[in-house]
Amino acid sequence: MNGWTAAGTALLLFGVTPAAYGAASGPLGRRVPAQNLATTLLALVFLLLAQGFGRTAYVDTALVLCVLGPAGTLLFVRLLADRLAAGPPRPRALLATTRLNYCAVAAVVVPLGIAAGPGRALLKLLVIGALLVLGSAVARRALTAVAAADGRPAPVEGADG
């Protein structure tokens, strides 16, 4: 076991596991942001394990997860908008979760980028990091918009009135 696999294992145990528990239990206002945090942290675990095991296929898995994770969060927000508006996430908790996402991405992508050196691998890492940060920001914005809607249903596209 090297430092990269140890860091990946630690992030899996002490980051993804509590976030997955938060996504599986508790009020809906906590579950949706926790789901977004869990997918971000899991993508970072794949990046760390890819470096630790020397397997580039794990980087591709992280790339797929960083695209599908925020899309899943947006889907949950859209489908559960009424219930989320009734019990929205606390703004401070949502901001803290988003900042935790940003810090975790920076704490993993920067050392991996230094280890990768210039080249295609660095570019891929930067794209994954940017997608993770962007996905977290979009998910936070969607959750904030649902909380601000005060339970009003979203307008249907193409409807008159």
Side-chain angles (χ1 to χ4, degrees):
M1 178 178 274
N2 58 28
W4 300 111
T5 57
T9 304
L11 186 59
L12 184 64
L13 291 175
F14 300 114
V16 175
T17 303
Y21 177 76
S25 64
L28 187 62
R30 184 183 78 193
R31 285 189 277 161
V32 176
Q35 182 267 337
N36 189 47
L37 178 64
T39 56
T40 299
L41 295 177
L42 192 58
L44 295 175
V45 166
F46 281 128
L47 288 176
L48 288 167
L49 293 179
Q51 181 70 25
F53 293 132
R55 299 278 182 115
T56 58
Y58 295 165
V59 175
D60 295 337
T61 306
L63 180 61
V64 169
L65 189 58
C66 77
V67 171
L68 294 180
T73 303
L74 293 176
L75 181 67
F76 284 139
V77 168
R78 177 72 175 158
L79 292 176
L80 302 171
D82 295 337
R83 290 178 57 194
L84 277 170
R90 292 178 297 190
R92 289 184 133 184
L94 188 56
L95 182 62
T97 303
T98 305
R99 287 184 178 164
L100 180 61
N101 274 340
Y102 296 162
C103 292
V105 169
V108 171
V109 170
V110 169
L112 285 174
I114 292 170
R120 184 171 180 242
L122 176 63
L123 182 63
K124 203 175 214 181
L125 278 171
L126 292 176
V127 166
I128 290 171
L131 286 172
L132 287 172
V133 167
L134 183 65
S136 182
V138 167
R140 177 177 179 255
R141 187 173 173 109
L143 282 166
T144 303
V146 165
D150 295 327
R152 295 182 305 242
V156 178
E157 292 184 27
D160 293 331

